[in-house]
Amino acid sequence: MATLDLDTSVVANAYAKWAPIYDAVCGPVMLKGRRAAAAAARGVGGRILEVGVGTGLSFDDYDATTEITGIDLSAPMLDKARAKMASGRYPWVKSVQQMDAHAMAFADATFDCVVAQFVITLVENPEQVLSECHRVVRPGGRIILVNHLYSETGLAAAVERWAAVKTRAMGLRPEFPFARLQAWSQSHSESILLERRKLAPFGIYTLVTFERAAALAA
């Protein structure tokens, strides 16, 4: 199914409004997905980029085996993340920066792992953001996504299509299909789809992992 992509300004305005209540409202709802993505990233270890780091909800899910850099488009959300960093509880979080994931300022192959939690369905151009994630992760590194993905069939799909119209101004896109992620990977010869896994308890969220393959020697 075709999906109407979001406008970056709509998303930025929506999340500026979400910032004061984001932890209380979204923290419990996203807990299982967030922890699953962070656990997969800890399995890679090293330098990890959190795309859409938001208020820093995921900081607790990492440890000293990792070095976290976070980016987000929303300054109000980042203010919350910086307040958490200032507490001294998260020495593994090295920096958070305001940055558009469509055009990251990092050099190629900077990170061992890129994590995007509840982000890829919300950006204006998901394929461009995935390509940027692919660029900044090292060969052999991984891109880890967790999101609700479109159910595609049945009553759930009908509800998601209906909700898509109602929630667009809130910066949400509940009807985003896995097929777009798969098509992006298939169009990149160095991208390998490693995993697509529904998460317990209800399968609302899906964990998707790509690996950037090492380039073949000439």
Side-chain angles (χ1 to χ4, degrees):
M1 114 179 230
T3 62
L4 179 62
D5 285 338
L6 295 167
D7 182 86
T8 296
S9 63
V10 171
V11 175
N13 290 335
Y15 280 85
K17 295 175 182 176
W18 274 107
I21 60 171
Y22 189 83
D23 286 13
V25 174
C26 297
V29 173
M30 297 177 172
L31 180 64
K32 296 288 187 181
R34 194 177 74 235
R35 287 183 174 172
R42 290 198 313 272
V44 179
R47 299 160 300 168
I48 296 173
L49 174 64
E50 275 267 358
V51 175
V53 70
T55 64
L57 268 175
S58 64
F59 290 171
D60 280 312
D61 303 321
Y62 294 102
D63 56 32
T65 64
T66 60
E67 179 181 300
I68 308 300
T69 298
I71 66 169
D72 204 281
L73 195 61
S74 172
M77 298 282 272
L78 288 173
D79 287 342
K80 298 283 187 180
R82 291 188 179 109
K84 290 184 173 77
M85 292 172 65
S87 72
R89 293 175 54 200
Y90 308 107
W92 46 85
V93 182
K94 300 307 178 183
S95 72
V96 295
Q97 304 173 43
Q98 188 174 13
M99 191 181 298
D100 187 344
H102 293 84
M104 297 186 207
F106 305 114
D108 295 358
T110 296
F111 299 98
D112 299 297
C113 183
V114 178
V115 181
Q117 303 179 25
F118 308 103
V119 168
I120 204 65
T121 64
L122 305 181
V123 295
E124 184 171 332
N125 187 327
E127 290 80 8
Q128 184 175 336
V129 170
L130 283 168
S131 293
E132 277 292 276
C133 293
H134 181 85
R135 180 183 67 78
V136 302
V137 78
R138 64 168 173 80
R142 294 188 178 182
I143 301 170
I144 297 168
L145 314 176
V146 66
N147 257 104
H148 169 74
L149 297 176
Y150 178 54
S151 299
E152 299 183 9
T153 60
L155 178 61
V159 170
E160 288 159 9
R161 289 194 298 270
W162 174 84
V165 178
K166 306 295 182 182
T167 61
R168 192 72 55 184
M170 298 170 63
L172 302 175
R173 178 167 43 185
E175 81 293 10
F176 189 93
F178 170 74
R180 285 187 69 168
L181 304 179
Q182 187 175 41
W184 170 84
S185 181
Q186 290 172 343
S187 71
H188 288 71
S189 60
E190 293 182 2
S191 173
I192 302 169
L193 175 62
L194 291 183
E195 183 179 26
R196 176 192 182 188
R197 170 166 53 99
K198 293 274 190 182
L199 299 176
F202 305 115
I204 296 172
Y205 302 130
T206 300
L207 184 77
V208 179
T209 302
F210 299 104
E211 181 174 282
R212 180 178 175 181
L216 296 176

